[in-house]
Each structure stands twice: as structure tokens, then as C-alpha cells.
């Protein structure tokens, strides 16, 4: 029995609202720890009491410092995002005019009229603006949550690992459920409102909805690149001068770049990452909807069947809600050794719970079988009809779901200092930074093997069972536990900030040891989150590619790899991730150079700075990072945004198809290796600093030659794991969804042959 329409129309918004309300509930629990008037007050069972200070120093003095530092970090992050979003607002207005204009001038063909094309241009523009606004909201809320929770996590660490862990994880979960809830609710409302204007034209409706994914990913790209440049410019400058040259601890308040470094964790790893994963959710859902619209589900106006992608996401929110209770209430981490295990179990439990739920959704929401159009291998026709059974979609969802878990677990193996790969990188520091870098690069390259195989298997399973719709559902499966993935990802930067605040507030070595343990686990979870983002981006990009091929009217015979236009596009597309990475890494280097000069200047000219009797000029370093991030994010963003438009209009739809395939193939490998290499270098440094094992203590600890070599490796890895690597998955998604949105315009340019080829008469 199929799911009634009224149940679908109620289930999706209800699940989204429940997710948002649960986020508010968690927020209330975090806000029970109040930093007021320089005193830490904990509220439990309706009573408020002062916590005892056990680590030396006056209670009011320590908490006043923590509150002051938190305020500085929050102000710096808010200031940067306000500046960034001002320029992104201008970009959105310009892009909205471009989308509306190019899609409205498309020449109508078949049964379409001029009114249909104008309507498509208008509603695609509205969807783009809604997606961009949701992405901005996601990033801003994430930043506010993180800056609110960082000092509270630090002061909770004085009571033990469990209170600090619960504070950081609950705060991360607030972001996860807010973003998942708002993203799903806004998309559902957009579909509902658009349907009032499109009536029975479901194909036109869901083609217009693709603008939602374009808006989300456009903002995510600039957020990731700008935030990444900001955070790594400050991080590299702080480490090179502070730890290497001046031999002072990480996050030492004497370091002028320390506030900018902590601000960067929020604008890069929190705001940028939140917008990134929202974009993945929006694009995977839009890809599935566009493909389903031309199947028997769309033609028969099967509402429950068409809404299947949104139902999967809705039930995923409920599954993640129950999973979160396990980490926050039932079995929280109570000692250092349990932190990584607890976070890893979140992924495993959410995957286990989501599997039977996916089966129920597939059987209940979809008809027992339906027809799907797939590309034909015959030159006589463009498409064949494939019969798809509802349980096939359960297999596709499960392939993505379990594939994501495997990618996450192997990422943990290659980036956690509990395992041999990172310990080998740390051991390589004995002979200096050169061998450290060599071992780290080798680790990153090797870590590409399993994710590539997993993604390949998911693609084969999805395409065999349901064509490109199956691949889109594999991506949806990987993102079905998005709230949990975001929670463990956001947990990392919050813990990192907590460690910095503990150091600057003078909370003592034992507190810093606890926050360092939380931070080390956070580095691993951040790498796991990036693995999920990259894996889902590959599947999303391929699904969008399939939708683009359909909308641009490209047949199998036209898109053969032996076609010179396609092959030339493949080479160009494979080169783009390297060009993009070169631009972003050089931007970090230029900004870091300015930061190093400023930090050195302050140490050399401000009397009493090294002695700790004078306060450094933090605002100057914040200004350097802000200016660099805003100015340097434009060129990489323009490269990604302009390439599909130029190639599609001038060189044709086949050449653009090659570009999309080439960028996907090379971008995935580069993104995985960059993220894992940087994560391994970072945790190798922390492994030496912690000295938790006999082997680690044998390497010398903080201040030793091994540690200095590890710091250099970590510094090299910073732009890899936090700027270029995470931005690449947006590159491959964004070019694909932009190509899908503008496909009618590209086909309108000399029937897809390209203006240049048409001008010279080189048409096929």
C-alpha cells in the first residue's frame, strides 16, 4: 500500500520542525552554563551554583578571561562574516540577473511556449536566491553556536572529560539539526509553493528547483575558500613565528595571531563546512527530483514517489535524534581513551538504525515497480525504458549509507594518531621535516584507494539498478545521517577553540591536556566529515551529470570518449582542480606571509610582549586575515563559476560534458589525498606533544627537534586540509549543478554545438 499524499505532506515538514526543536532543546542545555559577570554559573535541576576552581587562580579571574576571549573571537567571526556576506549578497544579485536573463531568452521548442521559458527563468532565480539565503543562514548559525560554546567547553573541562565532551558535542549537534531541519523545510516549502504556479508541469517544476542547489553550493564555495584562507593565514603565521621561532606554546596569549587563528576555526571549519554539506544535501535531492520527474513517477503524478528523496532525509533526522541521545546522555565519553570511540559509534549506530528505516521508506513510499528512462547504447534512439522495483532503491540508499561509513572508518585509520599510519609519520620526524612531508604525502596518496573503490561500487550498484536515479539515491543514502555527521564535524573546531581559550585564560596544564585530547579526536572527526563530503560530492556530481546530459539532449553516441570535443573537455576538466588548488594555496601563502611579517614586527617592536607584561595588537592580525580572505576568494570563485558558462556556450554541450567528467575524476582523488595528508600531519604533531605512549615520549615531546619538524609538516598541511582539499568537492558539485541549470541555454547556442564551432562551421 502506497503512502497517502497527506501523510507525505505532513511527515516531511514535521520531521524538519522536530529537528529544529531538538536543536533548540540542546541549545538550552548548553546555555545552562552561563558566563556572566566574570563568574561561571552552572544551572541544574532549577538551581544555580558556582563551580569550584580546582586548578589554581581565582574563579572570577579565570572565567572573566575566558569570557573576554570568547567575546573577542565572536566579534572577529561576526565581523568577517558580515563583510563576506555583504559581497556575497552583491554576487547573488548579479547571478540572479544572469540566471533570469539567460534562461528567459531560450527559444521554445516542441510544446513549450515563450511563457514557459520566462517562468523557468523566474522560478529558477527564486530557487537560487532561496538556496543561497539558506546556505548563508546555515553558516551564520553554525558560527554563532560555535563561538557561544567554545568558552563553555573550556570551563567544563575543569570538571572532567565528560562535561566538556557533552558541551562540545551537544553544541555540534545543535548545528547539525538546525541545518538539516532548515534545509529540508525550505526545500519542501519551495516545492509546495512552486507547484501552485506549475500545476501539472512537474518536469518544469523540478527543473526550476535545481536553482536551490546552485544557490547553496555557490555560497558554500566562497564560504569554504574565504574561510579557509582566513583560518590558515592566521594558523600558519601563528605557528611559524610563535612555535618555531619564539618557542612559545600553541595558543599562547602573547602570540598576536592567536585570536585570528581561533576566529578562523569558526569561519572556515564551521561556517564553511556547514554551507558545504547543506549544498551536498540540496544538490543530491535536486538531482534525484529532476531525474524522477521524467520517469513514470513524474508522468503519473505519484506525489509520494516523487517525494521519496525528501522522505529519506526526513526519516534520517529522526534516526539521528535518537543516535545523539546515546552520546549526550546514555554513554558519553568519560575518559580520554573513550572520546574517539564514542564519536565513531555515532556513525556506526546511525548507519545501523537508518538501514531498516530506508527499507520501510522504499517499500511504503514507492510503488512496487516504476519505469525509469536510461541512456540507450543504440544509435537509433536516445533513451531506453528500465523497470525499477521499489526494493532496488533500498539497495541504492544502503550502498551509499554503508559506503559513507566505510569511507569514514578508513579516514579515521589514516588520520587518527591511535593507528600506525600517523605514528609512522610522527616517527619520520626524527630525521627532520623533509621525511615528515614525504611520509605524509605518501599516506595521503595511499588513502585514496578505499574511497575510490567504495564510490565506484556505489556507482555501479546504483546505475545497474536504477540508472542515474540510483546514483542520486546513493548520494542521498550517504547524506541521510547528515545531522550526525555535522555534529561530529562541528565538535572538532569547538574543541579546538576550547583548548585555545584554556591556554589563554591560564587554566593549567591538566585542563589543556583534556582539551588537547578533545581536539585530537576533533581533528579525526573533521577528516571523517571531509571524507563524507568528498564521497557524497562524487556521487552527487555524477547524478547531476546524468541530469545535465538528459536536459542538454546529449545521446550516448554524441558523448563517446572518442569524440575529440569530449576528450579535449576531459583533459581540461582534469586540469581544473589543480589550477583551482594552485590559486587557493598561493592565496594562503600570500596571506600567511603578511601575517608572519606582522607577528614578527610586534614581537620586535612591542616592549614586554615576550615577558607577557604587554598585550599584543590582536585586531591588526584579524584585519590582515579578513582583507586577504575577501580579496583572494574572488579569483578561484570566478574560475569555477565562469568555466561551465564559457565552455557550454562557446564550445558546446559535449565539450562541457567532458569537462564535468574530467573534473570529477581528478578532483575526488586530489581532495581525498589533500584532506588526509593534512589531517595526518596535524595529528602526528599532537601525538608527539601528548607523549601518551612510550614511542611518543621517545620522540622528545614539545620543544624537541622532532616536534619542530612536526610543526612544519602541520603548517604545510594546513592549506591542504582546510582550504584547497575541502573546496574541491564544492568545485565538482557546483560546476555540475550550474551546467544543469543552464543546460537549456547551452542547447540554445547553435543546438548545443557551441557558438565558436558554429561560427567556423565545425558542427557535427
Amino acid at each position: 500500500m502506497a503512502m497517502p499524499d497527506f501523510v507525505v505532506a505532513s511527515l516531511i515538514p514535521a520531521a524538519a520542525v522536530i529537528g529544529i526543536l531538538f536543536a533548540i532543546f540542546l541549545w538550552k542545555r548548553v546555555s545552562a552554563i552561563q558566563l556572566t559577570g566574570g563568574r561561571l554559573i552552572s544551572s541544574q535541576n532549577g538551581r544555580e551554583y558556582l563551580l569550584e576552581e580546582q586548578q589554581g587562580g581565582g574563579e572570577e579571574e579565570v572565567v572573566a578571561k575566558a569570557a573576554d576571549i570568547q567575546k573577542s573571537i565572536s566579534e572577529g567571526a561576526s565581523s568577517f562574516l558580515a563583510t563576506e556576506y555583504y559581497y556575497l549578497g552583491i554576487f547573488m544579485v548579479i547571478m540572479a540577473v544572469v540566471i533570469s536573463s539567460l534562461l528567459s531568452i531560450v527559444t521554445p521548442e516542441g510544446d513549450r511556449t515563450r511563457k514557459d521559458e520566462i517562468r523557468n527563468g523566474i522560478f529558477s532565480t527564486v530557487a537560487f536566491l532561496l538556496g543561497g539565503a539558506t546556505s548563508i543562514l546555515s553558516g551564520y548559525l553554525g558560527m554563532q553556536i560555535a563561538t557561544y560554546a567554545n568558552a563553555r567547553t573550556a570551563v567544563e573541562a575543569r570538571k572532567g572529560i565528560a562535561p566538556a565532551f557533552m558541551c562540545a558535542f551537544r553544541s555540534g549537534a545543535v548545528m547539525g539539526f538546525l541545518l538539516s531541519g532548515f534545509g529540508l523545510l525550505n526545500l519542501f516549502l519551495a516545492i509546495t509553493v512552486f507547484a501552485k504556479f506549475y500545476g501539472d508541469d512537474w518536469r518544469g517544476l523540478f527543473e526550476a528547483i535545481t536553482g536551490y542547489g546552485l544557490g547553496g553550493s555557490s555560497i558554500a564555495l566562497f564560504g569554504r575558500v574565504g574561510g579557509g584562507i582566513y583560518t590558515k593565514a592566521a594558523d600558519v603565521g601563528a605557528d611559524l613565528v610563535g612555535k618555531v621561532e619564539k618557542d612559545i606554546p600553541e595558543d599562547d596569549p602573547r602570540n598576536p595571531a592567536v585570536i585570528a587563528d581561533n576566529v578562523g576555526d569558526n569561519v572556515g571549519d564551521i561556517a564553511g563546512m556547514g554551507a558545504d554539506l547543506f549544498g551536498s544535501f540540496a544538490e543530491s535531492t535536486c538531482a534525484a527530483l529532476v531525474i524522477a520527474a521524467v520517469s513514470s513517477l513524474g508522468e503519473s503524478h505519484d506525489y509520494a514517489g516523487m517525494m521519496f528523496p525528501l522522505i529519506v532525509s526526513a526519516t534520517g533526522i529522526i534516526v539521528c535524534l535518537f543516535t545523539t541521545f546515546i552520546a549526550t546522555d546514555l554513554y558519553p565519553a568519560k575518559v580520554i581513551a573513550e572520546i574517539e570511540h564514542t564519536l565513531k559509534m555515532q556513525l556506526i549506530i546511525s548507519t545501523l538504525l537508518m538501514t531498516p528505516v530506508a527499507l520501510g521508506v522504499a517499500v511504503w513510499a514507492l510503488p512496487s515497480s516504476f519505469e525509469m528512462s536510461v541512456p540507450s547504447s543504440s544509435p537509433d534512439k536516445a533513451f531506453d525504458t528500465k523497470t525499477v522495483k521499489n526494493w532496488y532503491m533500498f539497495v541504492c540508499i544502503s550502498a551509499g549509507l554503508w559506503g559513507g561509513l566505510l569511507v569514514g572508518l578508513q579516514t579515521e585509520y589514516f588520520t587518527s594518531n591511535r593507528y600506525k599510519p600517523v605514528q609512522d609519520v610522527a616517527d619520520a620526524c626524527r630525521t627532520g621535516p623533509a621525511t615528515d612531508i614525504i611520509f605524509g604525502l605518501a599516506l595521503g596518496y595511499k588513502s585514496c584507494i578505499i574511497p575510490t573503490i567504495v564510490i565506484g561500487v556505489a556507482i555501479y550498484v546504483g546505475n545497474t539498478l536504477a540508472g542515474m536515479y540510483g546514483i542520486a539515491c546513493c548520494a542521498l543514502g550517504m547524506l541521510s545521517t547528515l545531522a550526525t555527521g555535522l555534529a561530529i564535524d562541528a565538535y572538532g573546531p569547538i574543541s579546538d577553540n576550547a583548548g585555545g581559550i584554556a591556554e589563554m585564560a591560564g587554566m593549567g596544564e591538566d585542563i589543556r591536556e583534556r582539551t588537547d585530547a578533545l581536539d585530537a579526536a576533533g581533528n579525526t572527526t573533521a577528516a571523517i566529515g571531509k571524507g563524507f563530503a568528498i564521497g557524497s560530492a562524487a556521487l552527487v556530481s555524477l547524478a547531476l551529470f546524468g541530469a545535465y546530459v538528459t536536459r542538454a539532449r546529449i545521446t550516448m553516441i554524441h558523448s563517446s570518449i572518442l569524440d575529440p570535443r569530449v576528450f579535449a573537455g576531459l583533459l581540461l576538466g582534469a586540469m581544473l582542480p589543480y589550477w583551482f588548488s594552485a590559486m587557493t594555496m598561493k592565496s594562503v601563502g600570500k596571506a600567511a606571509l603578511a601575517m608572519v611579517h606582522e607577528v614578527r614586527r610586534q614581537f620586535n617592536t612591542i616592549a614586554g610582549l615576550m615577558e607577557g607584561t604587554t598585550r599584543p595588537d590582536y585586531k591588526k592580525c584579524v584585519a590582515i586575515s579578513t582583507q586577504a580572505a575577501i580579496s583572494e576568494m574572488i579569483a578561484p570563485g570566478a574560475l569555477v563559476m565562469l568555466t561551465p558558462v564559457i565552455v557550454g556556450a562557446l564550445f558546446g554541450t559535449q565539450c562541457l560534458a567532458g569537462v564535468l567528467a574530467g573534473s570529477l575524476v581528478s578532483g575526488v582523488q586530489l581532495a581525498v589525498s589533500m584532506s588526509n595528508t593534512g589531517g595526518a600531519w596535524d595529528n602526528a604533531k599532537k601525538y608527539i606533544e601528548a607523549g601518551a605512549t612510550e614511542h611518543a615520549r621517545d620522540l622528545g615531546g614539545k620543544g624537541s627537534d622532532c616536534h619542530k619538524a612536526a610543526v612544519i609538516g602541520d603548517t604545510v598541511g594546513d592549506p591542504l586540509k582546510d582550504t584547497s582539499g575541502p573546496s574541491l568537492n564544492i568545485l565538482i558539485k557546483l560546476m555540475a549543478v550550474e551546467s544543469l541549470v543552464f543546460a537549456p541555454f547551452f542547447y540554445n547556442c547553435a543546438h548545443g554545438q557551441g557558438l565558436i564551432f558554429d561560427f567556423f562551421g565545425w558542427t557535427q
Side-chain angles (χ1 to χ4, degrees):
M1 176 180 166
M3 186 181 294
D5 289 356
F6 78 90
V7 174
V8 177
S10 303
L11 173 64
I12 296 171
V17 171
I18 288 172
I20 295 170
L21 292 176
F22 183 63
I24 295 172
F25 166 72
L26 292 175
W27 174 268
K28 289 296 235 179
R29 298 184 73 177
V30 173
S31 64
I33 308 163
Q34 302 169 19
L35 296 174
T36 57
R39 304 199 309 167
L40 172 65
I41 303 174
S42 183
S43 302
Q44 293 182 7
N45 301 322
R47 294 189 303 172
E48 296 185 344
Y49 59 91
L50 288 175
L51 296 177
E52 295 182 4
E53 178 59 56
Q54 299 173 343
Q55 278 75 36
E59 170 72 36
E60 294 203 7
E61 180 185 353
V62 171
V63 179
K65 284 183 179 178
D68 183 54
I69 296 163
Q70 179 197 32
K71 182 180 178 183
S72 297
I73 294 172
S74 180
E75 287 176 351
S78 297
S79 175
F80 170 74
L81 287 185
T83 305
E84 182 181 52
Y85 290 159
Y86 169 78
Y87 288 103
L88 290 183
I90 297 174
F91 160 78
M92 287 175 63
V93 171
I94 296 173
M95 194 68 184
V97 173
V98 172
I99 294 172
S100 179
S101 302
L102 294 185
L103 294 184
S104 297
I105 63 172
V106 171
T107 302
E109 292 190 4
D111 58 353
R112 292 183 67 86
T113 64
R114 168 59 55 196
K115 182 180 178 181
D116 291 331
E117 303 301 345
I118 294 174
R119 181 178 62 180
N120 179 51
I122 293 173
F123 281 94
S124 295
T125 303
V126 173
F128 166 79
L129 293 173
L130 179 62
T134 306
S135 185
I136 287 175
L137 179 65
S138 301
Y140 181 77
L141 288 177
M143 183 276 297
Q144 290 288 353
I145 293 160
T147 55
Y148 184 85
N150 50 20
R152 286 162 173 78
T153 301
V155 294
E156 285 288 270
R158 297 178 303 163
K159 297 166 62 178
I161 284 291
F165 173 82
M166 285 189 287
C167 181
F169 186 79
R170 282 171 180 157
S171 303
V174 172
M175 177 181 177
F177 284 96
L178 273 182
L179 188 148
S180 301
F182 275 125
L184 178 62
L185 184 61
N186 286 348
L187 180 56
F188 175 78
L189 292 176
I191 293 172
T192 303
V193 172
F194 282 22
K196 303 294 183 183
F197 295 89
Y198 275 88
D200 293 335
D201 184 11
W202 282 24
R203 179 172 180 172
L205 163 65
F206 292 110
E207 286 180 350
I209 284 291
T210 57
Y212 187 75
L214 177 59
S217 264
S218 298
I219 300 302
L221 175 69
F222 290 105
R224 264 297 194 189
V225 172
I229 293 171
Y230 185 109
T231 182
K232 291 305 110 179
D235 200 358
V236 171
D239 283 355
L240 285 181
V241 182
K243 292 200 291 191
V244 177
E245 295 181 9
K246 298 298 182 181
D247 199 24
I248 59 177
E250 185 171 2
D251 296 315
D252 192 296
R254 294 172 291 177
N255 195 323
V258 70
I259 293 294
D261 184 11
N262 282 278
V263 169
D265 291 333
N266 296 287
V267 300
D269 294 340
I270 293 287
M273 176 268 299
D276 178 6
L277 287 178
F278 162 72
S280 291
F281 156 76
E283 287 162 329
S284 60
T285 308
C286 290
L289 291 172
V290 168
I291 297 169
V294 296
S295 71
S296 62
L297 297 175
E299 292 171 357
S300 63
H301 290 179
D302 184 340
Y303 183 72
M306 280 300 303
M307 291 294 105
F308 173 71
L310 278 75
I311 299 172
V312 171
S313 299
T315 53
I317 291 176
I318 305 301
V319 166
C320 292
L321 188 151
F322 288 108
T323 306
T324 300
F325 269 119
I326 295 174
T328 58
D329 292 87
L330 299 181
Y331 301 104
K334 296 179 180 178
V335 295
I336 290 175
E338 294 178 355
I339 299 172
E340 282 194 25
H341 175 74
T342 302
L343 294 170
K344 181 167 65 174
M345 287 306 297
Q346 284 286 293
L347 293 176
I348 295 173
I349 293 170
S350 62
T351 301
L352 287 171
L353 293 178
M354 189 62 202
T355 302
V357 171
L359 176 60
V361 170
V363 172
W364 197 18
L366 294 169
S368 58
S369 65
F370 55 95
E371 306 296 324
M372 185 68 61
S373 295
V374 296
S376 174
S377 56
S378 170
D380 299 327
K381 55 181 179 177
F383 297 98
D384 288 329
T385 300
K386 184 181 186 68
T387 300
V388 179
K389 298 184 182 299
N390 55 13
W391 64 268
Y392 288 3
M393 304 321 301
F394 160 68
V395 176
C396 294
I397 294 289
S398 298
L401 183 64
W402 286 92
L405 178 63
L406 288 176
V407 171
L409 294 179
Q410 86 92 37
T411 303
E412 181 201 23
Y413 175 73
F414 277 103
T415 58
S416 171
N417 55 30
R418 295 168 54 214
Y419 301 107
K420 193 172 186 298
V422 172
Q423 293 176 9
D424 286 344
V425 173
D427 194 68
C429 295
R430 294 178 187 271
T431 49
T435 45
D436 176 34
I437 290 173
I438 291 170
F439 270 67
L441 289 173
L443 178 149
Y445 298 149
K446 189 176 180 180
S447 70
C448 294
I449 299 172
I450 293 178
T452 302
I453 294 174
V454 168
I455 293 170
V457 170
I459 289 171
Y460 181 81
V461 170
N463 190 65
T464 301
L465 294 178
M468 286 296 175
Y469 186 65
I471 296 174
C473 287
C474 285
L476 279 169
M478 196 172 285
L479 292 166
S480 60
T481 55
L482 177 62
T484 294
L486 276 167
I488 66 170
D489 205 344
Y491 155 89
I494 292 170
S495 299
D496 191 1
N497 261 205
I501 291 173
E503 177 72 32
M504 287 185 278
M507 291 187 183
E509 282 296 320
D510 49 350
I511 305 305
R512 185 67 211 227
E513 182 182 343
R514 294 170 188 170
T515 57
D516 279 350
L518 294 169
D519 183 23
N523 281 335
T524 300
T525 60
I528 291 173
K530 289 163 188 168
F532 266 95
I534 295 164
S536 62
L539 296 174
V540 168
S541 179
L542 187 56
L544 291 167
F545 175 80
Y548 160 75
V549 167
T550 301
R551 201 176 184 195
R553 309 181 198 183
I554 301 174
T555 62
M556 291 291 286
I557 195 68
H558 288 149
S559 58
S560 167
I561 194 173
L562 298 178
D563 186 304
R565 299 184 190 184
V566 175
F567 194 79
L570 279 171
L571 290 176
L572 176 63
M575 173 273 298
L576 284 175
Y578 292 89
W579 188 3
F580 178 85
S581 298
M583 296 172 76
T584 53
M585 290 186 69
K586 187 175 180 181
S587 295
V588 171
K590 288 167 61 178
L593 188 62
M595 188 68 70
V596 166
H597 286 319
E598 175 59 25
V599 175
R600 283 175 178 166
R601 183 194 68 78
Q602 292 198 32
F603 273 119
N604 293 332
T605 59
I606 299 179
L609 185 55
M610 274 299 292
E611 292 75 19
T613 58
T614 306
R615 183 185 176 97
D617 184 2
Y618 296 127
K619 291 185 178 179
K620 180 66 175 175
C621 292
V622 170
I624 290 174
S625 276
T626 300
Q627 183 179 1
I630 297 300
S631 60
E632 295 290 338
M633 73 179 184
I634 297 174
L639 174 67
V640 177
M641 297 298 297
L642 293 178
T643 296
V645 175
I646 293 173
V647 173
L650 299 184
F651 301 101
T653 53
Q654 292 105 294
C655 184
L656 180 55
V659 169
L660 297 179
S663 64
L664 168 61
V665 170
S666 73
V668 169
Q669 322 299 327
L670 197 58
V672 170
S673 64
M674 282 182 166
S675 295
N676 290 344
T677 291
W681 277 328
D682 195 349
N683 273 344
K685 177 198 69 176
K686 284 183 166 55
Y687 176 75
I688 295 172
E689 290 175 345
T693 65
E694 185 64 34
H695 174 250
R697 288 189 291 271
D698 187 49
L699 295 176
K702 290 184 179 180
S704 65
D705 289 340
C706 280
H707 181 244
K708 290 181 179 179
V711 169
I712 292 174
D714 174 38
T715 305
V716 174
D718 278 336
L720 295 180
K721 70 181 176 68
D722 290 323
T723 306
S724 298
S727 300
L728 284 174
N729 61 324
I730 306 176
L731 175 145
I732 61 177
K733 293 183 302 179
L734 180 53
M735 290 206 305
V737 73
E738 186 179 4
S739 301
L740 173 60
V741 169
F742 287 114
F745 171 72
F746 299 149
Y747 183 79
N748 196 59
C749 296
H751 293 281
Q753 298 295 325
L755 296 176
I756 287 183
F757 289 138
D758 181 63
F759 178 79
F760 288 103
W762 300 337
T763 56
Q764 294 180 339

